[in-house]
Amino acid sequence: MAGTRSPPVAKKVEHAMHMFSDVRVDNYYWLRDDSRCDPDMLSYLRAENEYADSVMSGTKPFENQLFAEIRGRIKEDDISAPLRKGPYYYYKKNLLGKEYVQHCRRLIADNKAEPSVHDTMPTGPDAPPEHIILDENIKAQEHGYYRIGTFKVSPDHKLVAYAEDIKGDEIYAVHVIDSESLKPVGQPLKGVTCYLQWAGNDALVYVTMDEILRPDKAWLHKLGTEQSSDVCLYHEKDDMFSLDLYASESHKYIFVASESKTTRFVFSLDVSKPQDGLKVLTPRVDGIDSSVSHRGNHFFIQRRSSEFYNSEVVACLVDDPSKTTVLIPHRESVKIQEIQLFRDHLAVFEREQGLQKITVLRLPSEGQPLNSLQAGRSVSFVDPVYKVDTTESEFSSSVLMFCYSSLKTPPSVYDYDMDSGTSVIKKIDTVLGGFDASNYVTERKWVSAADGTQIPMSIVYNKNLAKLDGSDPCMLYGYGSYEISVDPYFKTSRLSLLDRGFIYVIAHVRGGGEMGRQWYENGKLLKKKNTFTDFIACAESLIELKYCSKEKLCVEGRSAGGLLMGAVLNMRPDLFKVVVAGVPFVDALTTMLDPTIPLTTSEWEEWGDPRKEEYYFYMKSYSPVDNVTAQNYPNILVTAGLNDPRVMYSEPAKFVAKLREMKTDNNLLLFKCELGAGHFSKSGRFEKLQEDAFKFAFMMKVLDMIPEYSQERL
């Protein structure tokens, strides 16, 4: 099946690693080169890329057809839902044929009126003119990779600070420009993260990283001064902790948080007195995680502990943070995910039974005592499974803006009137190419895991094509780490699978956050294998429920989801036809033993510290590179990015080299390594679609679903 060209063979250089009287031999350790310029390593990566291209050359016309089809669904000239901020509407604009966005604004003619859900931004000839503040397309012309990580307007709207990454290594330069003349203000801040906030109109707070790319220092920069004279507000020396930076919705405070995987504490900076520096707001207590918001004379604190694992919301006086009043108590079945504060309201984003909810509570007038709050109003949603995203809203208004989508509903931005309960749709992403949501069915199914736990799956298919008799092709997606929830979101490229009869499923396995904090706790550290066995149970259940068969089952995971792919590949290679592992974290044990690798130290609370014997042997028992054996494997596609700071390219490279050496089958194994991108692949919006087209073509080649004419044409 792999054609005439034979796959590359990586040279073997024995590298023995000793620990706890155990010896592991890694013949491909040499592939790790932190300078990323070793000629042998680069020539191996290029050989793999050339091999992948040669294997897929026969299906290139079909891949091109898929790409055109996926791109053809995108309305290329479009604007985002405008966000009302002060006297302006701010929005992003896409242009026909362009990879990147323009950041724009328009003056609001009557900006003294109270914002309403019925407001619309006028765009006609009589409307205030559009002003383009930043055109990423022009900036990106000089670079192979280009990403704006942050775009922040000063409180008086006269300046804009933005952070740009031109390599994909997530190290940014911050530029400040005059928002009208677009002229630069001062010199750019170099070598920083994209964590950036305005402290008033003439100062910025930003964060820098140490040599293992851990955000460890917060700085105050006064505009017009040299970066070298900036004041360090806080230095987090504990390498288990990383800094976070955000502003209160009221714009009166900036918060610097220091967090590990289990603990988070917060400092505040009064924007009117930045020279006073940071004040401790919530103390550093092991196992307590707090996030803070501000309104009037109160701080609102979302607090999690081992006792209150799904979080509670408490309030304290700005002048006395030690005395707290409970506003929303902890509930066993409802997890508080996030809160958003307004002048008169509190919006609470929650999860119950794996589904997201928004509850809105009215607050007493500013300055009045905050006692326990009255029962709130819930926003209602239509689909059985869906995804809700928070967006920035105007603090002084009663309008909550949020984004709703589902497996069959394109992203839809709503303005919700928190007083009346009225929802007004502001923007639905246009999907071209004859898309009709009524052709698709979304479902939710529960699966019994090995230990009896019920695992939810979200399912979508085209009701006119899916036969539901076990003969349909199926794509099962999983992640299951860091308490991240993979909610059932819409993706236009996925329609190219659904409209060819695929059933698409998300397995909400433990290690994620879908079912509350304990869902995560039961899929990490010494319970990590639950993530893998849950996924296998979901796959077996899909076969049992006649959604597909082993011969038609494709699975995919990225990053920590790539670890999931590597683990289930070794555990149950017989269960899958195709496995797609994107930027996969597959050399878990070796990486976690090396504190010089980015992210390692902070990750010990996620995977365990293998310098302790119990964790060493547990991680060794599932770490994908360590468990490749001489057996038949399914068809596999692995991807990587050379500049990736989150998963070193050498992890997937070693995994592929070892699979090539050990596997006993003739199935396809392809490795695509982007030599000019990082963890999130290429930076342009159309370039990213090319990767989906390649992946889908690979899957359909293996499943023999590519029409003859496509293979012969050209």
Side-chain angles (χ1 to χ4, degrees):
M1 191 173 179
T4 50
R5 183 170 178 153
S6 56
V9 177
K11 71 178 181 189
K12 290 164 74 167
V13 179
E14 188 173 311
H15 177 85
M17 294 172 285
H18 301 261
M19 195 93 178
F20 303 118
S21 310
D22 181 53
V23 183
R24 290 180 304 134
V25 175
D26 182 350
N27 291 319
Y28 304 108
Y29 189 86
W30 67 270
L31 280 165
R32 176 182 166 189
D33 168 34
D34 293 1
S35 72
R36 292 168 171 77
C37 50
D38 172 49
D40 287 357
M41 175 273 291
L42 288 170
S43 84
Y44 172 67
L45 295 184
R46 287 196 185 98
E48 284 286 1
N49 282 342
E50 285 159 16
Y51 173 68
D53 289 340
S54 122
V55 168
M56 295 296 287
S57 58
T59 51
K60 193 69 183 165
F62 179 65
E63 186 190 326
N64 292 340
Q65 179 191 327
L66 275 175
F67 175 70
E69 176 182 302
I70 294 168
R71 181 168 174 168
R73 292 195 195 97
I74 293 174
K75 185 173 189 296
E76 294 193 11
D77 51 335
D78 206 359
I79 72 163
S80 63
L83 171 64
R84 184 170 171 159
K85 278 196 305 221
Y88 294 98
Y89 281 114
Y90 287 87
Y91 55 96
K92 291 177 188 168
K93 187 175 181 182
N94 279 303
L95 304 175
L96 201 63
K98 299 288 190 189
E99 293 275 7
Y100 299 93
V101 298
Q102 293 178 330
H103 299 260
C104 309
R105 76 179 179 195
R106 278 179 199 264
L107 202 57
I108 300 170
D110 178 16
N111 59 49
K112 296 290 176 278
E114 274 287 302
S116 151
V117 291
H118 302 293
D119 291 341
T120 53
M121 181 178 77
T123 55
D126 302 329
E130 174 174 275
H131 176 59
I132 299 166
I133 301 171
L134 181 71
D135 187 340
E136 293 185 19
N137 296 291
I138 294 169
K139 294 275 182 191
Q141 283 171 359
E142 300 152 38
H143 310 286
Y145 180 96
Y146 191 78
R147 182 171 183 270
I148 294 281
T150 314
F151 181 90
K152 297 275 181 191
V153 182
S154 61
D156 65 5
H157 302 272
K158 291 181 177 169
L159 301 174
V160 166
Y162 64 91
E164 67 177 17
D165 171 8
I166 55 172
K167 274 175 73 178
D169 59 5
E170 299 177 52
I171 295 172
Y172 292 83
V174 168
H175 300 262
V176 178
I177 57 172
D178 181 295
S179 59
E180 281 299 321
S181 72
L182 312 184
K183 291 194 166 67
V185 175
Q187 293 301 307
L189 302 171
K190 295 285 179 61
V192 303
T193 65
C194 63
Y195 301 165
L196 179 69
Q197 296 292 343
W198 284 96
N201 295 308
D202 56 1
L204 290 165
V205 177
Y206 64 93
V207 171
T208 57
M209 299 190 281
D210 64 11
E211 62 284 350
I212 57 165
L213 307 187
R214 178 181 68 92
D216 70 327
K217 287 181 183 149
W219 301 83
L220 179 67
H221 171 72
K222 210 161 168 32
L223 293 189
T225 64
E226 294 292 318
Q227 185 175 354
S228 56
S229 61
D230 290 352
V231 176
C232 183
L233 295 170
Y234 181 65
H235 179 196
E236 179 51 79
K237 298 189 172 91
D238 184 336
D239 62 10
M240 299 284 274
F241 284 76
S242 297
L243 296 188
D244 187 17
L245 174 69
Y246 61 107
S248 66
E249 293 93 340
S250 66
H251 303 298
K252 300 271 173 60
Y253 285 89
I254 287 171
F255 300 115
V256 173
S258 182
E259 58 186 0
S260 73
K261 294 284 182 289
T262 59
T263 303
R264 178 180 160 104
F265 56 98
V266 182
F267 300 94
S268 64
L269 179 79
D270 184 335
V271 167
S272 66
K273 299 181 280 197
Q275 66 282 357
D276 289 1
L278 299 183
K279 292 204 165 76
V280 175
L281 209 164
T282 58
R284 181 180 194 140
V285 180
D286 191 42
I288 292 184
D289 176 309
S290 51
S291 297
V292 184
S293 305
H294 164 262
R295 167 192 178 264
N297 58 346
H298 288 94
F299 288 126
F300 286 61
I301 303 168
Q302 180 184 330
R303 187 164 67 193
R304 193 198 72 237
S305 62
S306 54
E307 186 186 357
F308 300 139
Y309 48 82
N310 277 334
S311 299
E312 58 178 350
V313 176
V314 302
C316 65
L317 287 167
V318 165
D319 299 332
D320 187 7
S322 60
K323 284 202 194 80
T324 59
T325 307
V326 175
L327 299 180
I328 305 173
H330 172 261
R331 291 152 295 168
E332 254 176 57
S333 60
V334 182
K335 171 182 165 185
I336 299 171
Q337 197 162 301
E338 173 176 356
I339 61 172
Q340 203 169 345
L341 257 183
F342 294 81
R343 186 185 57 201
D344 301 318
H345 301 87
L346 171 64
V348 188
F349 291 78
E350 302 170 314
R351 278 182 184 279
E352 187 168 20
Q353 280 294 296
L355 293 177
Q356 294 171 284
K357 296 168 44 177
I358 304 177
T359 306
V360 172
L361 304 153
R362 185 154 185 100
L363 297 172
S365 304
E366 282 190 19
Q368 295 298 310
L370 283 173
N371 300 320
S372 61
L373 304 174
Q374 304 305 310
R377 182 198 292 275
S378 284
V379 183
S380 52
F381 304 112
V382 290
D383 296 291
V385 288
Y386 53 84
K387 177 175 171 62
V388 178
D389 287 315
T390 57
T391 64
E392 195 179 344
S393 298
E394 182 80 324
F395 174 74
S396 58
S397 78
S398 60
V399 179
L400 170 70
M401 196 185 220
F402 65 86
C403 183
Y404 173 87
S405 68
S406 80
L407 293 168
K408 67 173 197 173
T409 311
S412 314
V413 175
Y414 286 86
D415 273 354
Y416 177 79
D417 186 318
M418 293 183 282
D419 287 324
S420 69
T422 308
S423 281
V424 177
I425 193 148
K426 291 290 163 179
K427 158 102 184 142
I428 303 179
D429 279 8
T430 306
V431 181
L432 304 174
F435 169 74
D436 177 353
S438 67
N439 288 331
Y440 305 92
V441 175
T442 65
E443 298 174 345
R444 194 177 200 216
K445 287 277 188 267
W446 296 85
V447 179
S448 286
D451 61 3
T453 303
Q454 295 297 296
I455 315 295
M457 295 192 297
S458 300
I459 300 171
V460 63
Y461 53 84
N462 185 324
K463 66 182 184 191
N464 307 315
L465 296 174
K467 302 185 199 67
L468 306 179
D469 61 0
S471 68
D472 298 310
C474 178
M475 166 70 125
L476 174 64
Y477 183 88
Y479 187 76
S481 289
Y482 303 118
E483 205 182 353
I484 287 170
S485 301
V486 181
D487 290 304
Y489 65 102
F490 186 83
K491 194 174 180 189
T492 50
S493 60
R494 189 191 297 139
L495 297 170
S496 290
L497 296 179
L498 300 180
D499 292 349
R500 285 175 174 79
F502 271 83
I503 294 170
Y504 182 87
V505 185
I506 301 170
H508 303 288
V509 294
R510 281 175 285 182
E514 288 91 341
M515 299 284 288
R517 176 72 182 183
Q518 290 182 310
W519 200 246
Y520 165 58
E521 301 276 3
N522 288 323
K524 67 183 287 201
L525 298 173
L526 297 171
K527 295 179 180 172
K528 186 66 218 165
K529 286 186 190 174
N530 283 338
T531 307
F532 317 142
T533 51
D534 286 359
F535 189 83
I536 288 167
C538 288
E540 290 177 328
S541 166
L542 288 172
I543 294 164
E544 200 181 310
L545 294 167
K546 295 265 192 294
Y547 282 105
C548 66
S549 62
K550 286 181 182 182
E551 289 69 41
K552 295 281 186 80
L553 179 56
C554 306
V555 294
E556 182 186 12
R558 287 181 57 83
S559 195
L563 165 69
L564 167 61
M565 293 300 107
V568 299
L569 257 178
N570 288 325
M571 290 162 78
R572 287 297 305 277
D574 60 301
L575 191 52
F576 318 106
K577 183 73 175 177
V578 177
V579 176
V580 179
V583 291
F585 173 47
V586 280
D587 198 15
L589 180 54
T590 300
T591 294
M592 286 294 106
L593 281 167
D594 187 343
T596 67
I597 294 177
L599 300 187
T600 292
T601 52
S602 63
E603 300 275 310
W604 284 331
E605 287 179 342
E606 177 78 20
W607 315 103
D609 180 352
R611 298 174 308 175
K612 296 174 183 150
E613 189 167 356
E614 183 181 21
Y615 286 104
Y616 175 88
F617 285 106
Y618 186 76
M619 291 170 74
K620 186 186 174 186
S621 72
Y622 70 73
S623 178
V625 165
D626 292 292
N627 287 280
V628 173
T629 56
Q631 61 179 349
N632 285 353
Y633 282 91
N635 298 274
I636 304 167
L637 170 62
V638 179
T639 65
L642 184 62
N643 295 327
D644 190 336
R646 293 167 186 253
V647 174
M648 289 187 68
Y649 73 89
S650 51
E651 294 199 29
K654 282 186 201 186
F655 186 53
V656 169
K658 194 166 178 185
L659 278 167
R660 291 218 184 283
E661 177 195 349
M662 306 288 286
K663 71 192 195 87
T664 53
D665 57 84
N666 291 316
N667 291 326
L668 289 181
L669 168 58
L670 300 187
F671 180 40
K672 286 273 279 187
C673 183
E674 285 300 338
L675 300 179
H679 192 67
F680 300 105
S681 71
K682 294 180 175 177
S683 52
R685 60 175 173 152
F686 303 129
E687 292 174 318
K688 285 182 189 295
L689 304 180
Q690 195 79 55
E691 294 174 19
D692 283 339
F694 182 87
K695 176 173 71 187
F696 295 171
F698 175 77
M699 287 159 49
M700 287 188 249
K701 175 186 173 79
V702 171
L703 294 174
D704 203 18
M705 288 177 65
I706 298 180
E708 278 305 310
Y709 75 89
S710 303
Q711 298 206 38
E712 287 166 10
R713 230 174 21 178
L714 305 182

